[in-house]
Amino acid sequence: MNRRPLTVVLIVPTGVGASIGGFAGDALPVARAIAHISDTLITHPNVLNGAQLYWPIPNALYVEGYGLDKFAQGCWGLQPVHQNRIGLILDGGIEPDLQLRHLQAVDAARATLGLNITDYVLTDVPLNVELRMSESGASWGTIAHPDSLLRAAEKLITQAKVEAIAVVARFPDDAGSIALANYRHGKGVDPLAGAEAAISHLIVKTFKIPCAHAPALLPLPLDPHLSPRSAAEEIGYTFLPCVLAGLSKAPQFVTLGTQERDTDKNRKHTQLPITADRVDAVVIPATACGGSAILSLSGRSAVQIIAVADNKTQMQVPPEKLGIKALQVNSYLEAIGVLVALRTGITPVALGADISPLRCLSDSTKQISNLKS
């Protein structure tokens, strides 16, 4: 039987304290489950990155946040690939021993996973990342020398011909901070996530190439009360392996017009890019519906928005405040049930105990008159 493939977008916004997906790859089980009942899952590094832990999901597309926003707007397509040639940027502010740890992690990924990582560049000056927290409770950050980051990326693209870029920036060590302690105990907001997003956004926006970031930090002291949701970041010296694994098959961004794209004789892909009109459903925390991607996709009448109530965040932006028509569910288990119904061609309403009467769009006076006659 021929049917349209089911394409699902899974979003857990970065740095907003999501109770599921706000820690160290703890939304990965959700992604694995949704991918199993989807033909294509489109999601972003915050969902799939778990430091040294990751999981190969053949039908999942690893799309950086800015690229996901442009995809949702209909500006960019996603071109699946077999393997990307990856380049590495190391912050010039990383200490020599910590640099070596990361380079050894890259060599391990090359030798053990067979990833195509070819060259690395040190930024010509330290990036000097600073961390911030907004009044709403979301984390963000700044880079003192973004021009140095862009020069390093340009060198990898022009000289090494890389197709994706991993960045490792030196982040401030703040072992005694309350925010970090809360995060390690499974509460609050990831204090690094907002600054990480700023780094990858800058490269993707400028060069239209897949990018993801891993922070360089000194190991933290042991904590016997560590939350399982944060534990993936405690098992090594680097968070880089999941980034390299994700970038190895991250889709390329297609920004050419359709006619130019289809007549480009040098294209090495025969499969057409995936575009926003292929999306059937979006799964999002119920209080975090203000992002660019969800606002764009909610404007498409064929897209089912599924808002998950028990994934709490620091945001207070439910779909009804924005006029977004969404199906509210309690949990990701319930969201997966909705997706199964959509895939099967069953309206989710039919699975509940109450079904409202059929609406009549004709004039109510005529309805009554017809009944009397």
Side-chain angles (χ1 to χ4, degrees):
M1 180 180 68
N2 292 328
R3 62 170 180 80
R4 173 191 168 107
L6 183 69
T7 301
V8 179
V9 175
L10 171 62
I11 299 174
V12 182
T14 301
V16 298
S19 55
I20 303 169
F23 298 90
D26 59 310
L28 187 50
V30 174
R32 289 180 61 195
I34 291 178
H36 187 71
I37 51 103
S38 308
D39 292 286
T40 301
L41 171 66
I42 300 170
T43 189
H44 52 107
N46 185 54
V47 170
L48 298 179
N49 283 354
Q52 296 199 50
L53 302 179
Y54 50 88
W55 195 272
I57 305 176
N59 61 328
L61 299 182
Y62 181 93
V63 183
E64 191 275 339
Y66 181 84
L68 183 58
D69 289 345
K70 299 300 286 186
F71 164 79
Q73 293 166 16
C75 301
W76 293 3
L78 305 176
Q79 180 67 67
V81 302
H82 292 300
Q83 185 185 60
N84 284 319
R85 180 183 176 93
I86 304 171
L88 174 69
I89 296 175
L90 290 177
D91 185 348
I94 302 174
E95 301 89 328
D97 285 358
L98 200 51
Q99 282 185 25
L100 183 56
R101 292 286 187 189
H102 285 83
L103 290 173
Q104 288 173 341
V106 173
D107 279 341
R110 295 170 63 217
T112 305
L113 303 180
L115 305 186
N116 186 15
I117 310 162
T118 61
D119 301 272
Y120 77 95
V121 174
L122 285 172
T123 62
D124 48 25
V125 296
L127 297 178
N128 290 346
V129 175
E130 293 189 9
L131 305 180
R132 299 282 189 270
M133 196 71 71
S134 70
E135 291 184 5
S136 66
S139 67
W140 61 286
T142 61
I143 315 166
H145 300 289
D147 53 332
S148 178
L149 177 67
L150 295 178
R151 284 193 295 271
E154 186 173 24
K155 182 179 290 188
L156 284 171
I157 293 168
T158 58
Q159 296 184 25
K161 309 299 181 186
V162 303
E163 298 161 312
I165 293 177
V167 181
V168 180
R170 186 64 167 95
F171 271 47
D173 294 304
D174 197 5
S177 76
I178 295 175
L180 179 58
N182 286 339
Y183 173 75
R184 295 181 80 195
H185 296 161
K187 301 176 290 185
V189 176
D190 180 353
L192 311 182
E196 289 193 89
I199 290 169
S200 61
H201 287 4
L202 180 60
I203 289 181
V204 173
K205 181 178 181 179
T206 305
F207 298 105
K208 301 177 178 61
I209 189 172
C211 177
H213 176 267
L217 295 161
L218 295 177
L220 292 168
L222 287 172
D223 184 342
H225 305 295
L226 192 71
S227 168
R229 292 195 177 276
S230 305
E233 295 179 352
E234 306 283 335
I235 61 176
Y237 292 95
T238 172
F239 306 157
L240 191 53
C242 63
V243 168
L244 298 174
L247 287 174
S248 68
K249 296 196 71 174
Q252 290 293 315
F253 300 118
V254 177
T255 59
L256 297 174
T258 302
Q259 183 176 1
E260 184 180 356
R261 182 196 68 212
D262 292 343
T263 56
D264 182 359
K265 300 184 185 302
N266 296 320
R267 285 182 73 238
K268 61 182 178 181
H269 305 289
T270 56
Q271 179 183 348
L272 288 177
I274 296 171
T275 51
D277 57 7
R278 281 268 304 272
V279 174
D280 298 292
V282 184
V283 184
I284 185 85
T287 59
C289 293
S292 174
I294 189 67
L295 292 175
S296 297
L297 291 170
S298 66
R300 297 178 177 270
S301 59
V303 176
Q304 175 67 67
I305 308 298
I306 304 171
V308 180
D310 70 358
N311 193 0
K312 308 294 185 184
T313 75
Q314 294 293 318
M315 303 293 97
Q316 297 300 323
V317 191
E320 56 270 18
K321 277 191 176 181
L322 302 172
I324 294 175
K325 184 178 180 181
L327 182 60
Q328 300 266 1
V329 299
N330 292 318
S331 68
Y332 283 109
L333 282 172
E334 191 175 340
I336 290 166
V338 171
L339 293 172
V340 170
L342 291 175
R343 184 183 181 94
T344 312
I346 296 172
T347 179
V349 175
L351 301 181
D354 298 317
I355 300 179
S356 59
L358 193 66
R359 292 184 302 170
C360 180
L361 300 181
S362 58
D363 183 76
S364 58
T365 305
K366 290 183 179 179
Q367 292 179 53
I368 296 171
S369 175
N370 290 337
L371 286 172
K372 287 181 177 180
S373 62

